[in-house]
């Protein structure tokens, strides 16, 4: 993985690592991974990333869904693809939120989950 993702801890070969690598390859911006173990039974990780436009957000979501299928994972559930302002991809153990920057700052999911308040922030540095 690139330096952008060097601060996010992953297990080699894991679903989490594959998703982060695919988003990085698609030039997602401000990739953040929030560990949910012990906080929620919904998933082990929540990944949040931004795209520069609705077109890039939609493209990243479609490519990620294709890569998940190729890797043998069950077909992910995808919500929000037609508008592509905020696309949610439920990949089982990893939930991915892809946003346009304006929409991401409005909803501010990182703050809602208290991410970074406890000094445990592990995010990508800079933009893609």
């Amino acid at each position: 993985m690139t330096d952008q993702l060097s601060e996010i801890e992953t297990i080699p070969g894991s679903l989490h690592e594959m998703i982060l690598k695919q988003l990085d390859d698609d030039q997602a911006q401000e990739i953040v991974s929030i560990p949910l173990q012990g906080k929620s039974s919904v998933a082990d990780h929540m990944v949040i990333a931004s795209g520069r436009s609705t077109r890039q957000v939609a493209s990243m979501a479609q490519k990620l869904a294709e890569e998940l299928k190729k890797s043998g994972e069950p077909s992910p559930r995808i919500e929000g693809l037609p508008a592509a302002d905020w696309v949610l991809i439920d990949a089982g153990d990893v939930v991915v939120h892809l946003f346009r920057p304006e929409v991401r700052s409005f909803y501010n999911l990182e703050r809602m989950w208290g991410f970074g308040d406890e000094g445990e922030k592990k995010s990508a540095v800079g933009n893609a």
Side-chain angles (χ1 to χ4, degrees), residues 21-96:
K21 183 179 181 326
Q22 183 61 45
L23 292 174
D24 188 53
D25 289 349
D26 290 340
Q27 299 180 357
Q29 297 179 326
E30 299 179 36
I31 301 169
V32 173
S33 180
I34 301 173
L36 297 180
Q37 290 175 322
K39 293 181 181 179
S40 173
S41 61
V42 173
D44 292 337
H45 299 278
M46 177 185 300
V47 175
I48 304 170
S50 298
R52 292 180 297 278
S53 65
T54 55
R55 188 174 193 167
Q56 185 188 17
V57 169
S59 175
M60 288 189 304
Q62 291 169 333
K63 286 182 181 179
L64 183 56
E66 289 170 17
E67 287 303 313
L68 288 166
K69 290 176 190 175
K70 284 182 193 176
S71 70
E73 295 292 329
S75 294
R77 287 172 285 187
I78 301 174
E79 297 290 333
L81 194 55
D85 285 331
W86 175 4
V87 178
L88 174 103
I89 303 164
D90 182 352
D93 290 339
V94 182
V95 175
V96 181

